Each structure stands twice: as C-alpha cells, then as structure tokens.
Amino acid sequence: MATIVIPTEEEIKKWVKDAVKESMETAKPKEVLVTNVQEQLLSPKMISKELGVSEVTLRAWRKEGLPAHKQKRKVYFLHSEVLEYMTKKKAKKKYDWL
C-alpha cells in the first residue's frame, strides 16, 4: 500500500520560491531600454508651424503614414515620431529615381 504525503502550505510556498529563484538565476538577461523621458503630445497647429507646412498637408501625410495619436477625438503628434517620419520620407524621395 502506497503512502500519500500531503505537503503543508509552507512547504509548497518554499518549493515555489525556490523554483522561481532558480529560474531567475538561470535565465539569460535581456537588454531593456528604460527611459524616464515622457514626450509631450503636440497639436497639429504646433507641428505645422514648426515644419512650415499647412494643417491640410499634415492631414495628407497622416493618410500616407505619419504617426498620430487620438485623444477624445483630437489628433496629436509626438515630435520624435514626426522627425523619424520626415527623415524616412526625405530618404525615400531622395532615392525615388532608383
């Protein structure tokens, strides 16, 4: 006849804790980029003024892929995303003839 041993709650907690600890020690660390910089959302008026284009042009660019964020039915842009888009757009335009 087999004996059944029922572990206590403390034993189970210890086993889980040990398993997690072992898993964390053997896991390969992943590169994580952490930034504390929070970028402000900019209105179409602000971005169009900075770029020297009309808000109509911004709307056209949005249809072409310019990243935008909506909050309560209003559209906003992140400066870094706009610059990245413009850089890609300029590079693509430069090599369109290829």
Side-chain angles (χ1 to χ4, degrees), residues 2-3 16 22-23 31 49-50 52 55 57 59 70 73 76 82 84-88 93-94:
T3 306
V16 170
E22 181 181 332
S23 177
E31 286 188 33
K49 187 176 182 180
E50 184 176 327
E55 291 183 45
T57 302
R59 273 188 239 119
K70 284 189 175 182
R73 296 186 180 188
Y76 297 96
V82 172
E84 183 178 340
Y85 175 81
M86 294 303 294
T87 303
K88 288 179 183 176
K93 192 174 183 179
K94 185 176 182 180

Side-chain angles (χ1 to χ4, degrees), residues 26-45:
T26 59
K28 294 180 181 178
K30 295 181 180 177
E31 286 188 33
V32 177
L33 177 63
V34 178
T35 60
N36 291 331
V37 178
Q38 228 178 2
E39 206 172 338
Q40 182 181 2
L41 292 171
L42 304 172
S43 69
K45 186 175 185 176

Side-chain angles (χ1 to χ4, degrees), residues 47-61:
I47 290 291
S48 64
K49 187 176 182 180
E50 184 176 327
L51 295 176
V53 297
S54 70
E55 291 183 45
V56 175
T57 302
L58 278 181
R59 273 188 239 119
W61 288 350

